[in-house]
Amino acid sequence: MTHSFQVQVELFGALRRFSDSGQVVLNLLGNRSHTTTVAAIRTEISKKISQNELLRSSVFADERRVLHESDLIENGAKLALLPPVCGG
Amino acid sequence: MQEQNKIVARIVENLISLDEIYISVNSFKNGAQVLFFGTVRNHNDGKAVHGVSYFAHKSLAERAFIDICNEALEKWGQETNIAILHRVGRLGVGQISIAIAVGSPHRREAYQVSRYLIEQLKIRAPIWKKEHYESGESEWLQGHALCAHSA
């Protein structure tokens, strides 16, 4: 059985051009335990971000760390999408 | 008495104080202090640059700074003091975007730590910059892709 839920993704760097507010809200289908994966979120957000190469080279993160594609994400999660970095 | 090393790692919005960053790593046990400043230059890739806007994921960037500092301490000694301050916001040509200070008992380690910090944070800290050109155009700069163990 699937359940719908939302994930909020804040966009950084060059990804900001895809949202005036700097974030996108995704409505997904989760499993019985109300989770989905980072990979599923990537698939969903690719419908809103047309620049595939930039998206492929970007990673998802929470407030503490960069996430693996197989990491489980809970309903209501707030994530960040980080394109290639160039500080200094 | 063994003095514990100090690490200062911050994303900041205001001008970086040279006195503050120097004092933050100063210690009577140090025989060397190395200061590195990254500044906004007036040209890049053949274009005249008017300024640069810096953006960061603050919590992850500061965490990446601390991870990199701890790696440096592991490699070159626990007696080292380190401060990293990185600006966000719009900076003009000549302004300091990043300041790294390293205080160490010996110059060799101080130089090695300083070099390690800047090279690693450029590819691991979630910070982005958008260049503003004299022509009026702006452009996000290319960077290094992060991976799951890099920030």
Side-chain angles (χ1 to χ4, degrees), chain B residues 81-101:
Chain B
N81 293 331
I82 300 172
I84 302 175
L85 300 181
H86 199 303
R87 289 278 307 274
V88 290
R90 181 155 178 160
L91 279 66
V93 168
Q95 286 195 294
I96 296 172
S97 57
I98 182 169
I100 296 175

Side-chain angles (χ1 to χ4, degrees), chain B residues 13-139:
Chain B
E13 294 181 6
N14 299 325
L15 283 172
I16 291 173
S17 159
L18 305 191
D19 286 345
E20 182 188 352
I21 194 164
Y22 176 79
I23 291 167
S24 68
V25 299
N26 194 20
S27 166
F28 288 157
K29 70 187 167 90
N30 291 343
Q33 308 220 63
V34 168
L35 303 178
F36 170 84
F37 304 113
T39 55
V40 176
R41 64 172 176 259
N42 68 357
H43 63 97
N44 188 31
D45 209 14
K47 297 176 186 170
V49 174
H50 185 259
V52 176
S53 293
Y54 287 85
F55 303 83
H57 187 299
K58 188 172 187 293
S59 62
L60 285 180
E62 291 179 345
R63 185 176 292 268
F65 290 171
I66 290 170
D67 287 346
I68 295 165
C69 288
N70 283 325
E71 291 165 11
L73 295 178
E74 191 75 23
K75 287 172 183 282
W76 289 288
Q78 296 293 327
E79 294 180 279
T80 303
N81 293 331
I82 300 172
I84 302 175
L85 300 181
H86 199 303
R87 289 278 307 274
V88 290
R90 181 155 178 160
L91 279 66
V93 168
Q95 286 195 294
I96 296 172
S97 57
I98 182 169
I100 296 175
V102 179
S104 178
H106 305 288
R107 69 182 181 281
R108 184 169 180 270
E109 289 77 12
Y111 276 118
Q112 287 174 311
V113 168
S114 179
R115 183 65 189 266
Y116 182 79
L117 297 174
I118 184 62
E119 299 299 338
Q120 289 295 310
L121 74 83
K122 283 182 83 74
I123 60 175
R124 292 168 56 185
I127 298 170
W128 302 271
K129 52 188 170 190
K130 191 175 197 179
E131 277 187 342
H132 308 291
Y133 304 110
E134 295 285 0
S135 65
E137 296 177 325
S138 296
E139 194 174 296

Side-chain angles (χ1 to χ4, degrees), chain A:
Chain A
M1 186 176 171
T2 57
H3 303 265
S4 64
F5 67 90
Q6 280 192 345
V7 173
Q8 186 176 309
V9 181
E10 187 174 2
L11 306 177
F12 286 84
L15 291 166
R16 293 251 174 177
R17 73 181 67 141
F18 295 103
S19 169
D20 292 338
S21 65
Q23 64 179 33
V24 294
V25 176
L26 303 174
N27 296 294
L28 300 108
L29 293 176
N31 58 24
R32 186 184 297 175
S33 59
H34 296 265
T35 61
T36 188
T37 63
V38 170
I41 292 171
R42 183 182 294 279
T43 300
E44 190 64 27
I45 207 168
S46 70
K47 298 170 186 171
K48 299 176 184 287
I49 295 177
S50 55
Q51 202 172 340
N52 289 334
E53 191 176 339
L54 182 60
L55 181 57
R56 267 198 303 275
S57 59
S58 301
V59 295
F60 287 89
D62 60 18
E63 279 297 310
R64 294 174 48 251
R65 65 185 179 91
V66 173
L67 301 170
H68 294 273
E69 293 296 296
S70 58
D71 282 342
L72 295 178
I73 305 300
E74 296 184 347
N75 185 16
K78 293 181 179 178
L79 304 180
L81 187 54
L82 313 177
V85 301
C86 55

